């Protein structure tokens, strides 16, 4: 079933707020300043650069800003760096507790090595891809197939009431926010098809997940996402074995009820990306997958808009396709391009990137779903003033 629209509802807060509630609100507002103009998101995505840069910048504000971080307004760097240093995950994923539900949501960083992205983008930019077949998306949920729209919209507790700008779009089929609850913060809720993402604590537990997903399934949820970027220190930050444990415990039990998506991996190289997923599969031999969930980011400083579009196409039709062919558990799985973007693109370039890529994704029968990392934030699909859609947001709304 395709829903013609989705929307977030921001409730009116009563004027008589308790002291405790005021304290919580003030704490939330302080944390939100880290995300103004997408500052902390940029640092999270380019976590390696941020880890080296932030300590120096906080000590010496005249420190040269790395090229990957130049898009962050200088006025936001200090607060964003302070937040990054408090939330950045340590190197050892085994002992790292997961981020609490009230802190920043898991946002997809750039793959671990810039060089691997450059090499992938440059090597695939000139490749040719066959024209995808048209037709509806059909997802297999362990014997329970369903069809539905492909285009998803990402949001979080900082999305305010910006979904009002998408309320009349017939293109948006579902939403997700890297969490179990469709309401990521008090007063904000999401109406329409919702896809939850499993998020565990340091003991690899989530006491709310099983019953929460059961309730969502009863209300119409048709797909669930496993861990978000376990191959990235700034995100789920799990070993392949830990990711397999989480999958078996929280995703596999819903086989046949909803479509099961693999852990969402970056497009990094080596032990990250598809290399991580290969190690994961080796420890999840009896696991079932309806969806292979992959992310793809490249930097505008490394590639042109046309090269970025070609890189996505080649990644899905060659790299991901080869992985599926090699692993029998994924041979019948559809692809979800769970996050993608041309990082550092101008407004016009972001819109051009989507205009070139969305029709191809919509027409490719191997692609079950996708979510552009524009999302409901100012400077992404919402203009900087917060008064309407940006150019890329308008394309995502209309095309």
């Amino acid at each position: 079933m395709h829903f013609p629209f989705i929307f977030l509802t921001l409730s009116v807060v009563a004027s008589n707020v308790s002291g405790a509630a005021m304290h919580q609100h003030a704490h939330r507002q302080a944390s939100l300043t880290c995300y103004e103009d997408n500052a902390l998101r940029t640092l999270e995505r380019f976590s390696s650069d941020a880890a080296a840069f932030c300590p120096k910048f906080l000590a010496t504000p005249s420190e040269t800003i790395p090229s990957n971080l130049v898009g962050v307004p200088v006025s936001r760097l200090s607060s964003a760096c302070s937040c990054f240093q408090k939330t950045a995950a340590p190197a050892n994923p085994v002992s790292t507790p997961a981020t609490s539900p009230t802190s920043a949501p898991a946002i997809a960083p750039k793959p671990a090595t810039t060089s691997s992205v450059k090499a992938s983008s440059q090597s695939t930019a000139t490749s040719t891809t066959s024209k995808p077949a048209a037709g509806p998306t059909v997802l297999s949920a362990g014997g329970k197939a369903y069809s539905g729209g492909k285009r998803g919209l990402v949001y979080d507790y900082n999305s305010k009431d910006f979904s009002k700008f998408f309320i009349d779009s017939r293109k948006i089929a579902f939403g997700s926010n890297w969490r179990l609850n469709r309401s990521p913060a008090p007063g904000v809720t999401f109406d329409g098809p919702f896809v939850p993402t499993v998020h565990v604590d340091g003991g690899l537990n989530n006491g709310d997940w099983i019953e929460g997903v059961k309730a969502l399934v009863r209300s119409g949820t048709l797909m669930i996402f496993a861990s978000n970027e376990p191959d990235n220190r700034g995100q789920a930050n799990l070993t392949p074995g830990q990711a397999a444990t989480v999958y078996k415990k929280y995703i596999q039990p819903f086989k046949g009820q909803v479509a099961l998506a693999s852990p969402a991996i970056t497009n990094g190289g080596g032990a990250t990306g598809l290399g991580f997923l290969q190690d994961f599969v080796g420890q999840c031999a009896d696991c079932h997958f309806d969806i292979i969930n992959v992310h793809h980011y490249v930097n505008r400083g490394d590639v042109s808009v046309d090269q970025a579009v070609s890189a996505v196409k080649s990644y899905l039709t060659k790299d991901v396709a080869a992985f599926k062919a090699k692993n029998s558990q994924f041979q019948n799985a559809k692809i979800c391009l769970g996050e993608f973007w041309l990082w550092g693109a101008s407004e016009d370039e972001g819109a051009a990137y989507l205009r070139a890529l969305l029709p191809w994704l919509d027409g490719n029968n191997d692609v079950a779903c996708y979510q552009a990392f524009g999302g409901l934030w100012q400077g992404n699909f919402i203009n900087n003033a917060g008064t309407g859609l940006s150019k890329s947001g308008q394309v995502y709304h209309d095309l």
Side-chain angles (χ1 to χ4, degrees):
M1 179 181 295
H2 178 71
F3 286 69
F5 63 85
I6 62 172
F7 60 90
L8 293 168
T9 303
L10 194 65
S11 66
V12 177
V13 181
S15 59
N16 295 325
V17 183
S18 68
M22 287 293 289
H23 175 76
Q24 292 174 352
H25 177 72
H27 176 75
R28 187 179 306 116
Q29 287 302 109
S31 67
L32 292 184
T33 62
C34 302
Y35 283 92
E36 290 180 358
D37 295 320
N38 255 5
L40 182 54
R41 297 186 194 286
T42 305
L43 303 189
E44 288 173 332
R45 188 169 300 151
F46 298 100
S47 56
S48 296
D49 289 339
F53 166 73
C54 282
K56 298 177 182 177
F57 176 79
L58 291 174
T60 309
S62 59
E63 178 71 18
T64 302
I65 302 173
S67 59
N68 284 336
L69 306 181
V70 293
V72 179
V74 176
S75 61
R76 304 297 187 200
L77 270 176
S78 181
S79 61
C81 271
S82 296
C83 293
F84 177 83
Q85 299 221 115
K86 292 177 182 178
T87 60
N92 184 0
V94 177
S95 60
T96 303
T99 308
S100 65
T102 56
S103 61
I107 306 299
K110 184 183 177 182
T113 58
T114 303
S115 59
S116 67
V117 178
K118 274 189 178 181
S120 171
S121 303
Q122 293 171 348
S123 65
T124 60
T126 58
S127 64
T128 58
T129 56
S130 59
K131 184 178 180 179
T137 301
V138 178
L139 311 182
S140 170
K144 181 181 178 182
Y146 77 97
S147 61
K150 296 185 178 187
R151 190 172 303 178
L153 188 66
V154 289
Y155 71 101
D156 68 6
Y157 63 83
N158 195 25
S159 296
K160 302 180 183 179
D161 61 346
F162 294 146
S163 62
K164 64 189 178 186
F165 300 121
F166 276 92
I167 197 169
D168 60 341
S169 174
R170 299 187 61 85
K171 297 295 186 176
I172 304 301
F174 68 94
S176 69
N177 62 14
W178 303 279
R179 288 290 190 264
L180 168 64
N181 299 319
R182 65 173 65 242
S183 178
V188 180
T189 188
F190 179 90
D191 294 318
F194 176 72
V195 179
T197 304
V198 68
H199 185 83
V200 296
D201 61 22
L204 305 183
N205 297 311
N206 184 326
D208 298 324
W209 177 262
I210 296 296
E211 293 305 316
V213 171
K214 287 180 181 178
L216 287 171
V217 171
R218 288 193 295 270
S219 69
T221 285
L222 300 173
M223 176 168 55
I224 56 178
F225 288 160
S227 306
N228 181 64
E229 295 193 351
D231 57 328
N232 192 304
R233 286 180 55 195
Q235 302 305 312
N237 189 33
L238 303 171
T239 66
Q242 289 175 317
T245 296
V246 172
Y247 194 92
K248 293 173 186 177
K249 187 174 182 180
Y250 294 115
I251 304 299
Q252 186 75 10
F254 292 97
K255 176 184 176 182
Q257 301 176 55
V258 290
L260 310 183
S262 72
I265 46 96
T266 69
N267 57 312
T272 66
L274 292 171
F276 179 98
L277 198 61
Q278 188 65 62
D279 292 338
F280 159 83
V281 171
Q283 301 187 57
C284 212
D286 297 326
C287 297
H288 174 83
F289 306 97
D290 299 298
I291 304 289
I292 178 171
N293 195 354
V294 298
H295 294 175
H296 192 278
Y297 290 96
V298 288
N299 192 332
R300 176 62 184 87
D302 298 332
V303 296
S304 67
V305 173
D306 288 342
Q307 287 175 323
V309 172
S310 294
V312 174
K313 293 179 179 180
S314 183
Y315 180 64
L316 299 185
T317 61
K318 294 184 177 181
D319 298 335
V320 176
F323 177 89
K324 288 175 57 181
K326 181 180 178 181
N327 295 277
S328 60
Q329 291 157 277
F330 284 94
Q331 286 180 4
N332 295 320
K334 297 290 187 176
I335 299 170
C336 185
L337 185 58
E339 293 179 23
F340 67 98
W341 195 246
L342 174 56
W343 190 241
S346 67
E347 261 201 86
D348 288 333
E349 290 170 337
Y353 174 70
L354 290 179
R355 278 194 294 268
L357 196 51
L358 295 185
W360 184 86
L361 292 170
D362 287 334
N364 191 325
N365 281 343
D366 289 330
V367 176
C369 56
Y370 61 82
Q371 297 181 115
F373 197 84
L376 293 178
W377 304 287
Q378 288 168 257
N380 283 281
F381 283 165
I382 308 302
N383 62 32
N384 289 326
T387 57
L389 296 174
S390 64
K391 291 180 180 178
S392 58
Q394 196 66 57
V395 173
Y396 207 69
H397 176 285
D398 293 342
L399 187 61

